[in-house]
Amino acid sequence: MTVVNERKSFGTTEVLKGVDLKVHKGEVVAVIGPSGSGKTTMIRTLNAMESVTSGDVLYRGVPVGYKVTSSGARKVVSDKELSRTRENIGMVFQQFNLFPHKTALENVTFAPTQLRKANAAGTTANAMAQLEKVGMAAHAQKYPHQLSGGQQQRVAIARALAMSPDVMLFDEPTSALDPELVDEVLQVMTGLASEGLTMVVVTHEMRFAREVADWVVFMDQGVVVEEGPAAQLFDNPQHERTQRFLTRVMATN
Ligand code: ADP
Ligand code: MG
């Protein structure tokens, strides 16, 4: 995926002020930065959950969620095209967003069933395989309220995986969890990374970013201040704002 000079305003407030980003196939990119720096807004534009005001978000060279007409105007694509995009680019949220009245298994089969990705038996078999992968097969018949936050988030990851996405986006997937539940989710994500899944992860988990990410992007006040390989960014940050941020989060981690 490629983001080029992305700008985004809400009303008169510009929250993304020219963001550039490259995500190579098979890479894990971690996005770090203080609260309010535009991380959520940016990651949501990667699968068109948020529109861009100007600049480009491209997946395989094609704009994500919009079309540029011959006159240069932007047009939102049809719902059908949007859902095709979101099949390729899955998302996991901070707040899990599971359907409360569906079991874990039903949460995972829901979207593939809507899209008739396979027959019912195939959809269920695939969903069970994804639940197995995140260590939740034994809880397939449970409802979200019967699961811990970490378990719910693992189901949410299985749900996204069930669409066989090429890219997975994670927006602070462990921030809503009690500290003792963070590792089980990070372990699942580490497994996905080692399988070569392309991932963009907004995170406050610096150890995860350092150990798992190929590339780390530091955002502040709507821009990418600094980016680089994890070891370089953490051991040898070049910008004063990066240094200040890292000092602060390391102190509280
Ligand atoms: P982060 O995820 O880094 O904390 P966000 O992308 O959530 O940052 O927010 C960046 C800025 O954009 C914040 O100042 C936030 O208040 C503002 N913002 C985010 N979403 C909206 C919205 N829908 N309407 C207006 N302002 C928003
Ligand atoms: Mg956020």
Side-chain angles (χ1 to χ4, degrees):
M1 305 201 67
T2 310
V3 175
V4 186
N5 197 18
E6 173 182 55
R7 291 178 179 271
K8 173 69 182 183
S9 298
F10 292 109
T12 56
T13 312
E14 191 173 53
V15 302
L16 298 178
K17 304 172 182 172
V19 171
D20 293 290
L21 186 72
K22 266 214 156 62
V23 182
H24 298 107
K25 193 171 161 51
E27 257 185 17
V28 177
V29 174
V31 180
I32 63 172
S35 174
S37 56
K39 305 179 301 296
T40 292
T41 305
M42 189 281 289
I43 200 171
R44 285 169 61 87
T45 67
L46 299 184
N47 74 345
M49 297 196 69
E50 194 73 77
S51 64
V52 294
T53 305
S54 69
D56 281 303
V57 179
L58 307 171
Y59 174 64
R60 293 182 171 161
V62 179
V64 174
Y66 62 94
K67 275 193 172 115
V68 181
T69 64
S70 49
S71 64
R74 274 162 193 270
K75 245 182 76 195
V76 176
V77 299
S78 67
D79 286 351
K80 200 166 159 202
E81 278 180 73
L82 259 186
S83 64
R84 207 172 313 132
T85 298
R86 294 195 185 128
E87 281 176 52
N88 290 327
I89 309 171
M91 180 120 179
V92 173
F93 305 89
Q94 184 175 341
Q95 295 296 344
F96 330 137
N97 296 1
L98 294 177
F99 300 112
H101 302 300
K102 293 185 191 298
T103 63
L105 179 61
E106 288 165 351
N107 266 279
V108 181
T109 57
F110 181 73
T113 302
Q114 298 286 304
L115 291 161
R116 297 183 192 285
K117 280 221 136 188
N119 61 29
T123 301
T124 301
N126 175 50
M128 284 306 298
Q130 303 311 331
L131 286 169
E132 184 74 50
K133 181 174 232 172
V134 301
M136 287 297 293
H139 304 282
Q141 301 306 332
K142 291 191 180 160
Y143 288 87
H145 73 90
Q146 298 172 301
L147 302 171
S148 73
Q151 291 175 325
Q152 289 185 56
Q153 190 60 302
R154 287 187 281 145
V155 173
I157 293 172
R159 177 175 62 174
L161 291 173
M163 305 296 279
S164 310
D166 294 329
V167 182
M168 283 269 278
L169 311 175
F170 297 83
D171 187 7
E172 298 200 24
T174 61
S175 293
L177 300 176
D178 292 334
E180 72 273 20
L181 303 177
V182 167
D183 275 352
E184 64 189 62
V185 172
L186 293 181
Q187 267 170 29
V188 166
M189 293 170 63
T190 303
L192 296 176
S194 68
E195 287 176 17
L197 183 65
T198 309
M199 295 161 60
V200 181
V201 186
V202 174
T203 187
H204 288 301
E205 296 294 331
M206 295 301 144
R207 196 154 44 89
F208 173 83
R210 191 201 177 90
E211 287 168 10
V212 179
D214 299 288
W215 193 257
V216 180
V217 172
F218 171 63
M219 283 182 71
D220 193 13
Q221 297 179 18
V223 297
V224 173
V225 173
E226 180 167 357
E227 61 187 313
Q232 180 187 310
L233 196 115
F234 285 110
D235 293 340
N236 197 13
Q238 298 300 303
H239 285 253
E240 192 264 335
R241 274 149 85 183
T242 319
Q243 292 164 4
R244 208 162 1 116
F245 173 76
L246 289 175
T247 305
R248 186 151 44 86
V249 294
M250 295 309 183
T252 55
N253 249 5

